[in-house]
């Protein structure tokens, strides 16, 4: 494991020796900007510009409707799904790209509850990402209010799984703290109790090695626009383990999840395999961009990406703690590599204006209520010197109280 650099020159030397360093040139990044928010919106790969232009001008402009076959638009959801599968330890035919993470969670949860009709409890944590909880609440209402969303603390999950649990629904990497659940151990506990699992991989896919097969995972969902670099509003993915696919029925029974969409039958029959996770027409432009983002990750070894991510995180923690001591920051992320995702978070009572002041200085992270400063590490386009400099700028913002100006206190709609 790379030891954190002690000087800026040492950080430069780490960059010079970094096997992932050449990947940075594949991304469009404005000069002078330190982008620590690839966990919210991944950077733009240059190849996505050329690809989406080609899809718009040639495939849409010239080939028009013929593109569904000629340019294989119809295959995009399963083709890109098969590529994402390679990043998350899934097999070909187990992942499809469609809709948003929220909608896929709804489909996965409905499918899981239908597979455990005698059980009534959806088990999760109170600090799960809100949309996951909201979608569960909406589904419970739709199903007549017979189910219960039971929320416990993360540490209490294993002990809370019992014979009433239908499904354990968790986000693998916590969006605020970056703490990672032990996917395999929890999945095994769930299975011993006869329950299913749904893993939300929004902060995992493309960020750290995930092995759904080794964990024995049942269902999973994940996000296209974060570490997969698929672009704003990129479609999300749905994973259904092959052994569950025959039994998996999801309620959004649109025509493209039908066994024979172009037979235009009156009655719904689900497609064989993962295609039954599709609802309607795929967003072709977004899928084309997402495919470029995923291809970019597949060119590199996930173990190398993980090693650099942890090294960047270690450097950031070390520098922030050295330079910002006594300035109200507290580390909110596990130091332990075994349970840390690809982000580092600190709490600060004035977290919101501090982050706004940082952004004004060209260091982009984000703020998560109530008090979290969140910094994401994306090893393909982030350098050790960026992390070094970000910590210096944070120290300066805190020391000079540059954040304590009215314009930095005004809340924007998106934080
Ligand atoms: C980002 C994120 C989502 C996003 O859901 P959308 O439907 O794409 O808005 C869902 N769940 C988690 C855990 C996330 O981090």
């Amino acid at each position: 494991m790379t030891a954190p650099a002690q000087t800026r020159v040492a950080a430069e030397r780490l960059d010079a020796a970094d096997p992932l360093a050449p990947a940075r040139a594949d991304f469009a990044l404005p000069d002078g900007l330190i982008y620590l928010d690839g966990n919210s919106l991944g950077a733009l790969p240059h190849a996505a510009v050329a690809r989406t232009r080609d899809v718009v001008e040639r495939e849409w402009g010239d080939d028009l409707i013929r593109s569904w076959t000629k340019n294989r638009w119809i295959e995009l959801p399963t083709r890109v799904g098969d590529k994402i599968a390679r990043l998350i330890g899934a097999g070909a035919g187990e992942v499809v790209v469609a809709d948003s993470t929220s909608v896929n969670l709804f489909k996965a949860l409905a499918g899981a509850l239908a597979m455990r009709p005698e059980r009534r409890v959806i088990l999760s944590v109170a600090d799960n990402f809100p949309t996951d909880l909201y979608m569960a609440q909406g589904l419970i209402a739709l199903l007549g209010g017979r189910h219960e969303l039971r929320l416990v603390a993360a540490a209490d999950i294993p002990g809370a799984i019992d014979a009433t649990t239908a499904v354990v629904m968790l986000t693998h990497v916590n969006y605020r703290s970056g703490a990672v659940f032990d996917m395999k151990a929890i999945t095994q506990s769930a299975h011993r109790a006869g329950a299913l699992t749904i893993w939300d991989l929004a902060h995992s896919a493309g960020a750290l090695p995930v092995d759904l097969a080794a964990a024995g995972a049942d269902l999973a969902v994940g996000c296209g626009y974060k570490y997969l670099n698929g672009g704003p509003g990129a479609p999300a993915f749905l994973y259904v383990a092959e052994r569950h696919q025959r039994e998996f029925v999801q309620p959004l029974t649109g025509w493209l999840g039908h066994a024979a969409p172009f037979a235009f039958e009156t009655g719904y029959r689900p497609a064989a395999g993962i295609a039954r996770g599709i609802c309607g027409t795929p967003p072709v432009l977004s899928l084309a961009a997402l495919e470029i983002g995923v291809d970019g990750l597949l060119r590199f070894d996930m173990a190398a990406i993980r090693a650099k991510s942890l090294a960047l995180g270690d450097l950031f923690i070390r520098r922030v703690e050295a330079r910002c001591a006594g300035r109200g920051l507290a580390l909110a992320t596990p130091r332990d590599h075994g349970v840390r995702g690809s982000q580092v978070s600190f709490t600060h009572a004035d977290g919101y204006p501090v982050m706004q002041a940082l952004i004004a200085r060209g260091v982009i992270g984000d703020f998560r209520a109530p008090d979290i400063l969140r910094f994401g590490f994306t090893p393909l386009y982030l350098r050790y010197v960026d992390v070094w400099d970000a910590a210096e700028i944070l120290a300066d913002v805190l020391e000079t109280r540059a954040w304590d100006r009215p314009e930095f206190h005004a809340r924007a709609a998106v934080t």
Side-chain angles (χ1 to χ4, degrees):
M1 199 53 55
T2 309
Q6 305 287 348
T7 62
R8 193 175 189 282
V9 170
E12 283 171 6
R13 276 200 294 271
L14 290 177
D15 285 320
D18 173 16
L20 298 180
R24 181 176 167 87
D26 295 342
F27 292 89
L29 291 164
D31 283 339
L33 200 74
I34 300 178
Y35 192 61
L36 303 178
D37 216 0
N39 53 328
S40 258
L41 176 63
L44 168 66
H46 290 301
V49 178
R51 176 73 184 119
T52 49
R53 179 176 295 137
D54 188 50
V55 174
V56 169
E57 291 182 354
R58 183 179 58 82
E59 296 187 1
W60 178 14
D62 295 340
D63 295 336
L64 287 157
I65 194 78
R66 293 168 291 189
S67 280
W68 286 103
T69 305
K70 182 179 175 194
N71 296 309
R72 303 187 297 146
W73 285 355
I74 201 68
E75 289 171 17
L76 274 166
T78 47
R79 183 171 84 223
V80 182
D82 283 347
K83 290 181 177 185
I84 293 172
R86 291 159 55 194
L87 294 170
I88 57 175
E94 289 189 311
V95 178
V96 71
V97 177
D99 307 311
S100 64
T101 307
S102 304
V103 171
N104 286 330
L105 190 83
F106 184 86
K107 293 185 279 193
L109 192 53
L113 293 178
M115 285 192 253
R116 291 293 178 274
E118 71 291 357
R119 295 175 176 224
R120 294 293 151 85
V121 175
I122 302 164
L123 183 63
S124 192
V125 289
D127 66 346
N128 198 346
F129 190 78
T131 202
D132 298 44
L133 302 179
Y134 301 162
M135 294 310 287
Q137 291 161 15
L139 180 61
I140 288 170
L142 188 67
L143 294 176
R146 292 174 299 116
H147 295 84
E148 177 199 344
L149 176 60
R150 189 173 293 168
L151 303 177
V152 302
D156 297 334
I157 284 286
I161 301 170
D162 63 24
T164 68
T165 312
V167 54
V168 182
M169 178 189 85
L170 294 170
T171 299
H172 182 219
V173 178
N174 183 286
Y175 76 106
R176 278 205 196 91
S177 69
V180 184
F181 276 113
D182 186 336
M183 181 186 288
K184 188 170 185 176
I186 290 172
T187 301
Q188 287 175 346
S189 300
H191 290 173
R192 274 196 297 276
L196 296 167
T197 53
I198 299 176
W199 290 102
D200 186 333
L201 304 177
H203 293 276
S204 314
L208 66 165
V210 175
D211 197 337
L212 291 173
D218 302 294
L219 297 150
V221 299
C223 187
Y225 51 79
K226 292 172 179 161
Y227 293 94
L228 297 183
N229 303 322
F237 64 86
L238 170 70
Y239 159 87
V240 181
E242 210 229 297
R243 65 182 183 283
H244 291 309
Q245 287 179 1
R246 284 176 65 86
E247 208 190 340
F248 177 75
V249 283
Q250 58 92 2
L252 304 184
T253 47
W255 72 306
L256 285 183
H258 192 278
F262 288 88
F264 297 104
E265 295 169 5
T266 305
Y268 182 78
R269 288 188 293 127
I274 194 65
R276 64 179 56 188
I278 300 173
C279 181
T281 305
V284 171
L285 302 182
S286 292
L287 262 161
L290 174 60
E291 184 167 34
I292 296 293
V294 173
D295 284 345
L297 281 157
L298 286 171
R299 277 201 289 277
F300 297 93
D301 175 22
M302 190 50 73
I305 292 175
R306 175 64 170 162
K308 183 176 172 189
S309 154
L310 290 169
L312 292 169
D314 284 345
L315 178 62
F316 192 64
I317 292 170
R318 164 97 61 114
R319 291 305 299 160
V320 170
E321 289 185 337
R323 296 283 288 107
C324 307
R327 306 259 180 229
L329 289 177
L331 184 65
T333 296
R335 282 176 210 277
D336 179 354
H337 288 179
V339 288
R340 192 206 305 164
S342 197
Q343 69 182 64
V344 170
S345 301
F346 289 93
T347 59
H348 189 284
D350 291 292
Y352 186 78
V354 169
M355 182 53 75
Q356 298 317 301
L358 264 180
I359 293 170
R361 294 278 303 272
V363 178
I364 301 193
D366 59 25
F367 172 76
R368 287 292 173 264
D371 59 357
I372 296 264
L373 295 163
R374 191 172 70 156
F375 303 93
F377 297 99
T378 45
L380 295 190
Y381 52 86
L382 205 62
R383 298 169 299 202
Y384 291 92
V385 282
D386 296 326
V387 169
W388 182 280
D389 293 344
E392 289 300 305
I393 295 167
L394 175 59
D396 187 66
V397 162
L398 292 173
E399 197 178 307
T400 61
R401 293 182 64 88
W403 54 268
D404 200 8
R405 301 216 312 247
E407 70 264 35
F408 296 141
H409 287 269
R411 294 271 169 132
V414 176
T415 64

